[in-house]
Amino acid sequence: MWAQKEISYIETTKNWYYIYDGSGKKIKTLYRSGIGDIKGWGKDFFVTKRGAFYLICDAEGKTLKTLGAQSVGEVVSVSGSTFTSRLGVWIYTWNKEGKKISTRAAQK
């Protein structure tokens, strides 16, 4: 069985994203316009926004889930194996599979 690749850093240039593991080895090179703007990354996934959609991708750049931006809101944080978004007065926490795992009211 193969080990899941972990993301240590994502370097961005005008047209490319370079995904690196903890040893500094390049995992993948992705064309920026193909996946959109990276909003953040956790240890084994990253979140991008392309048009009206958020894409949750694994370390190799494979799309795990596509979510509509109208239902997600704005992604504000990506960490570990979850990401957080804000939509109006609500804060949502999502897992890397795109499932909403908690909801709370935002602080005023």
Side-chain angles (χ1 to χ4, degrees):
M1 182 160 186
W2 58 278
Q4 176 75 25
K5 293 186 179 181
E6 291 192 4
I7 300 169
S8 173
Y9 180 67
I10 299 178
E11 182 179 3
T12 62
T13 64
K14 183 177 179 183
N15 295 313
W16 299 95
Y17 293 118
Y18 303 97
I19 303 171
Y20 295 92
D21 67 12
S23 65
K25 181 180 176 193
K26 189 185 305 178
I27 299 171
K28 192 75 172 178
T29 300
L30 299 169
Y31 191 53
R32 189 177 198 142
S33 68
I35 62 167
D37 294 322
I38 291 182
K39 297 300 177 183
W41 68 87
K43 65 178 185 168
D44 58 1
F45 79 106
F46 59 93
V47 178
T48 69
K49 185 171 186 196
R50 186 174 69 192
F53 297 95
Y54 283 103
L55 306 177
I56 304 169
C57 302
D58 68 10
E60 294 280 341
K62 178 183 174 195
T63 301
L64 303 172
K65 185 77 173 180
T66 302
L67 301 170
Q70 287 186 331
S71 62
V72 172
E74 178 185 351
V75 171
V76 294
S77 174
V78 182
S79 179
S81 60
T82 63
F83 67 96
T84 305
S85 68
R86 181 179 181 142
L87 181 60
V89 298
W90 297 102
I91 302 290
Y92 301 114
T93 301
W94 308 78
N95 68 15
K96 66 182 181 182
E97 287 82 29
K99 180 180 177 190
K100 193 183 305 176
I101 55 176
S102 72
T103 304
R104 68 173 175 81
Q107 300 297 315
K108 293 183 179 186

